[in-house]
């Protein structure tokens, strides 16, 4: 613990259904040793529990929450993080569209600092996204601890869904003066559609979008790496 807070390293990563180079994916995550990994497009179908556990093992972490109940949103943690409660949600289905959802976990670290981590993946349909963002935001607002929320929002800053989720929270990229770092696509980086937001009580120490030979092979999205300081326990 520092004099001003408790360090926590978080990665948010749309892993593209693990359809790309899974060895590169595992190595890219292991190299940065996160305490929390927020996954979009994780296992959500046949044998999803086994596949989620295998993904967690490949990066040296354990499954905290998510999978099929949250429709592919997955929260993984290191052994440093203690998970005290979890919940999953699904957004209402629009006929002919993909199901979407979110995963949430209340956590603590060894010093007693508490936080709620959340992950989601909003629709590509601009008509659906704002309603999904409102449901996601409702759960974030009800969280019992300072929030760390990451999502593939499928839209850029200033869009209605982005604005809804970001309200009252800190955009880690903006705070670190790195909002010019693009997250999609690895083949042709042109958009920032992946974001990580935190409660204002949480300090953003550093933010990066990991553009490396490994991450260009691992998915169609670049991962976000954020170093935070949690407020110390009272």
């Amino acid at each position: 613990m520092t004099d001003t807070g408790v360090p926590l390293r978080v990665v948010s990563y749309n892993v593209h259904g693990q359809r790309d180079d899974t060895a590169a994916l595992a190595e890219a995550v292991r190299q940065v040793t996160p305490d929390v990994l927020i996954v979009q497009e994780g296992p959500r179908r046949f044998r999803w529990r086994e596949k989620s556990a295998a993904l967690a093992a490949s990066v040296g972490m354990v499954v905290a929450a998510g999978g099929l109940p949250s429709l592919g949103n997955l929260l993984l943690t290191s052994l440093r993080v203690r998970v005290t409660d979890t919940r999953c949600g699904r957004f209402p289905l629009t006929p002919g569209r993909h199901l979407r959802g979110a995963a949430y976990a209340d956590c603590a670290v060894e010093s007693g600092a508490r936080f709620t981590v959340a992950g989601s993946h909003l629709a590509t349909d601009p008509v659906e996204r704002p309603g999904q963002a409102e449901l996601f935001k409702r759960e974030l607002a009800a969280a019992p601890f300072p929030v760390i929320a990451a999502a593939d929002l499928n839209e850029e800053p200033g869009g209605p869904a982005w604005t809804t989720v970001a309200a009252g929270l800190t955009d880690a990229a903006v705070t670190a003066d790195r909002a010019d770092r693009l997250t999609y696509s690895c083949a042709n980086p042109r958009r920032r559609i992946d974001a990580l937001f935190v409660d204002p009580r949480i300090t953003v120490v550093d933010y990066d979008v990991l553009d490396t030979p490994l991450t260009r092979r691992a998915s169609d999205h670049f991962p976000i790496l954020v170093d935070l300081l949690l407020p110390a326990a009272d």
Side-chain angles (χ1 to χ4, degrees), residues 43 151 192 219 233:
R192 183 165 82 96
S219 178

Side-chain angles (χ1 to χ4, degrees), residues 31-119:
Q31 283 185 356
V32 295
T33 61
D35 298 302
V36 176
L37 175 61
I38 304 168
V39 174
Q40 300 90 38
E41 292 195 34
R44 57 176 288 177
R45 293 187 176 90
F46 180 64
R47 296 169 55 202
W48 65 271
R49 290 184 181 85
E50 180 181 335
K51 292 175 182 177
S52 297
L55 173 59
S58 75
V59 298
M61 305 179 82
V62 296
V63 176
L68 176 61
S70 62
L71 300 168
N73 295 287
L74 189 64
L75 305 178
L76 308 181
T77 60
S78 73
L79 296 180
R80 177 179 173 237
V81 177
R82 179 169 57 90
V83 178
T84 59
D85 192 24
T86 66
R87 49 209 174 273
C88 295
R90 297 184 178 190
F91 304 138
L93 173 64
T94 301
R97 301 292 183 181
H98 293 297
L99 282 165
R100 304 282 182 173
Y104 311 86
D106 300 330
C107 304
V109 288
E110 68 279 354
S111 64
R114 307 294 297 271
F115 62 97
T116 296
V117 62

Side-chain angles (χ1 to χ4, degrees), residues 7 13 51 85 97 105 119 135 170 207:
Y13 207 165
K51 292 175 182 177
D85 192 24
R97 301 292 183 181
L135 292 172
T170 299
Y207 170 99

Side-chain angles (χ1 to χ4, degrees), residues 24-227:
L25 170 64
E27 181 61 22
V29 175
R30 286 198 303 265
Q31 283 185 356
V32 295
T33 61
D35 298 302
V36 176
L37 175 61
I38 304 168
V39 174
Q40 300 90 38
E41 292 195 34
R44 57 176 288 177
R45 293 187 176 90
F46 180 64
R47 296 169 55 202
W48 65 271
R49 290 184 181 85
E50 180 181 335
K51 292 175 182 177
S52 297
L55 173 59
S58 75
V59 298
M61 305 179 82
V62 296
V63 176
L68 176 61
S70 62
L71 300 168
N73 295 287
L74 189 64
L75 305 178
L76 308 181
T77 60
S78 73
L79 296 180
R80 177 179 173 237
V81 177
R82 179 169 57 90
V83 178
T84 59
D85 192 24
T86 66
R87 49 209 174 273
C88 295
R90 297 184 178 190
F91 304 138
L93 173 64
T94 301
R97 301 292 183 181
H98 293 297
L99 282 165
R100 304 282 182 173
Y104 311 86
D106 300 330
C107 304
V109 288
E110 68 279 354
S111 64
R114 307 294 297 271
F115 62 97
T116 296
V117 62
S120 188
H121 183 189
L122 303 188
T124 57
D125 183 353
V127 176
E128 283 188 301
R129 276 198 305 272
Q132 294 175 352
E134 289 175 4
L135 292 172
F136 186 45
K137 185 65 173 184
R138 187 181 305 167
E139 291 296 323
L140 299 181
F145 306 112
V147 164
I148 301 167
D152 173 356
L153 295 166
N154 267 313
E155 72 178 31
E156 294 169 273
W162 186 296
T163 300
T164 293
V165 176
L169 299 175
T170 299
D171 183 334
V174 172
T175 297
D177 197 25
R178 290 184 176 172
D180 60 337
R181 300 297 304 274
L182 306 177
T183 66
Y184 181 83
S185 71
C186 292
N188 180 24
R190 61 191 185 277
R191 304 178 70 197
R192 183 165 82 96
I193 62 174
D194 305 274
L196 190 141
F197 305 102
V198 297
D199 184 289
R201 291 170 288 180
I202 298 174
T203 301
V204 177
V205 177
D206 198 15
Y207 170 99
D208 201 6
V209 174
L210 301 179
D211 181 353
T212 70
L214 282 174
T215 61
R216 283 181 176 260
R217 299 202 308 269
S219 178
D220 61 343
H221 289 245
F222 294 114
I224 294 170
L225 171 66
V226 184
D227 284 308

